[in-house]
Amino acid sequence: MNALSLNRRHLLAAATAGMGLAFAGRVAAGTRGPANKLVVVIARGAMDGLSVTVPYGDANYLPLRGGLAIGAPGEANGALAMGEGFGLHPTLAGLHDLYGQGQMRFAPAVALPVRIRSHFEAQDVLENGGEALRQQTDGWLNRALAAAGGTTVKGLSIGAQTPLILRGGAPVSSWAPGGLVRGGDRIAALLQDLYVDDSLLGQNLARGLATEERVERVGGQPVRRNDVQALGQAVARLMSGPDGADGVAVSLDGWDTHAGQKAQLQNRLIGLDQLVMGLKAGLGDAWSRTALVVATEFGRTARANGTQGTDHGTGSSLLLAGGAIRRGGPIGDWPTLAENRLFENRDLAPTLDIRSVFKGLLRDHMGLDRAALDNRVFPGSAAEAPAMTGLV
């Protein structure tokens, strides 16, 4: 398949190595939450937006990018046309098909509310939903799920460790692809005995084993680490049915392309495309009630460096996809790549706070009102209005 890597850690240290389940937050209630589904994919490492949503119509693009430039539609290995001078990277054929169906949109120049070029600090701000580093101890997606339905709306993290974006009071489960753990396995039996008198951990373990059984029904085989389409289908199963997750976070690593960017980025984008297509296939009719957002902590420099890579930048792209997304053009303004418009003479200048897009999605798709978005989900963000009306 491809070399896309997923952020994974061992569960319960070496004693439970190989187990694919973990839990955080409170145990969910038995009632269903809203039918709409939201998937947040975090491209960790700073995704190069100028190669993902290619501004081939900008006269400054080719001179700035040099050997990293993606050709215009119709050229060899050229971008896949989307209109208004933008195209998708040529590996994103599945997402381009969704664009043609009116189920994909993009924001070409978004950024965090603060200018940070440290991966760890920027990811913290991206996930905590505030305006500064470590401003919140929980994540904006968890707060959004709580605001949408209290304990009836369920969250799911893909990976053995729940990321900050999903930490908080709303119930959240976590699943890591790999070997399945069944209720009859020795390690599971030992843990069940260990937690028999613990009301929280006992319930979490039981729910985790049930999660593994749901994944097993995808095809009865463990999901291989690099089989990204099968991963998408497995996640879709965990989102389906009366016990399915309502809000999902997926972390995709490997976007820090300082050298040899073209080949690296191609592999990452093939994997991203396969993940989305796997989700679509696995969700079936539920795809029409699903919105997916792909975000990254910051973009990359407008100019290539000396090793045919790019360095840490500022503005980047954000992608929206799903059956719930409405047809439309770019979200937010394009600043152009004119030299006098670059941020600090090196980066794509952002024109839109990334939280504005999140707000529009949560309002239109998950039913959150403006007061909850401004004060609870993204505290202190009242100045940032939802990006536009009718994202979904």
Side-chain angles (χ1 to χ4, degrees), residues 47 49-57 79-89 92 95-96 98-100 102-110 292-295 316-322 325-335 348 351-352 354 357 361 387-388 391:
M47 181 177 72
L50 293 176
S51 294
V52 177
T53 56
V54 181
Y56 67 87
L80 305 173
M82 294 191 295
E84 300 192 40
F86 287 95
L88 276 178
H89 190 281
L92 297 174
L95 280 164
H96 188 250
L98 292 179
Y99 178 82
Q103 296 183 9
M104 183 260 166
R105 295 186 67 182
F106 65 98
V110 299
L292 176 144
V293 57
V294 182
S316 190
S317 299
L318 177 147
L319 304 179
L320 292 173
I325 300 299
R326 292 183 185 176
R327 186 182 299 275
I331 302 166
D333 295 327
W334 176 243
L348 173 67
T351 61
L352 188 62
I354 198 168
V357 185
L361 195 58
M388 60 185 298
L391 287 179

Side-chain angles (χ1 to χ4, degrees), residues 362-386:
L362 292 171
R363 180 195 61 189
D364 295 349
H365 187 59
M366 302 300 283
L368 274 65
D369 62 30
R370 182 70 187 272
L373 291 169
D374 290 348
N375 302 312
R376 183 176 179 183
V377 181
F378 301 102
S381 69
E384 303 299 334

Side-chain angles (χ1 to χ4, degrees), residues 89-256:
H89 190 281
T91 59
L92 297 174
L95 280 164
H96 188 250
D97 285 345
L98 292 179
Y99 178 82
Q101 298 168 38
Q103 296 183 9
M104 183 260 166
R105 295 186 67 182
F106 65 98
V110 299
L112 302 173
V114 290
R115 303 294 171 253
I116 305 173
R117 293 194 183 100
S118 160
H119 293 301
F120 300 109
E121 293 181 357
Q123 288 174 22
D124 181 278
V125 176
L126 174 66
E127 295 181 66
N128 77 41
E131 296 187 328
L133 180 66
R134 290 185 284 275
Q135 188 171 35
Q136 309 294 327
T137 58
D138 54 3
W140 67 260
L141 183 54
N142 189 285
R143 296 194 297 271
L145 295 176
T151 59
T152 66
V153 180
K154 307 180 194 63
L156 171 68
S157 167
I158 304 306
Q161 185 180 48
T162 302
L164 175 60
I165 193 172
L166 266 178
R167 294 179 199 164
V172 174
S173 61
S174 177
W175 175 74
L180 295 176
V181 178
R182 300 171 179 83
D185 288 351
R186 180 174 180 273
I187 190 85
L190 289 173
L191 288 172
Q192 286 173 320
D193 288 343
L194 178 65
Y195 297 153
V196 66
D197 294 322
D198 190 309
S199 59
L200 177 61
L201 293 179
Q203 291 180 65
N204 282 350
L205 178 61
R207 190 161 176 250
L209 292 172
T211 298
E212 290 291 352
E213 291 174 0
R214 288 171 63 82
V215 173
E216 187 174 11
R217 290 198 292 273
V218 173
Q221 298 296 324
V223 176
R224 297 187 304 275
R225 182 173 182 175
N226 288 335
D227 193 344
V228 189
Q229 188 158 356
L231 171 69
Q233 292 174 339
V235 173
R237 286 299 179 98
L238 296 175
M239 297 172 63
S240 302
D243 297 320
D246 304 291
V248 180
V250 182
S251 294
L252 303 182
D253 290 336
W255 301 87
D256 197 14

Side-chain angles (χ1 to χ4, degrees), residues 269-302:
L269 292 175
I270 289 172
L272 175 62
D273 203 61
Q274 290 176 341
L275 175 70
V276 177
M277 293 301 99
L279 278 166
K280 181 178 184 293
L283 284 168
D285 292 342
W287 177 253
S288 66
R289 304 189 304 276
T290 299
L292 176 144
V293 57
V294 182
T296 194
E297 66 261 35
F298 46 74
R300 308 196 70 82
T301 49

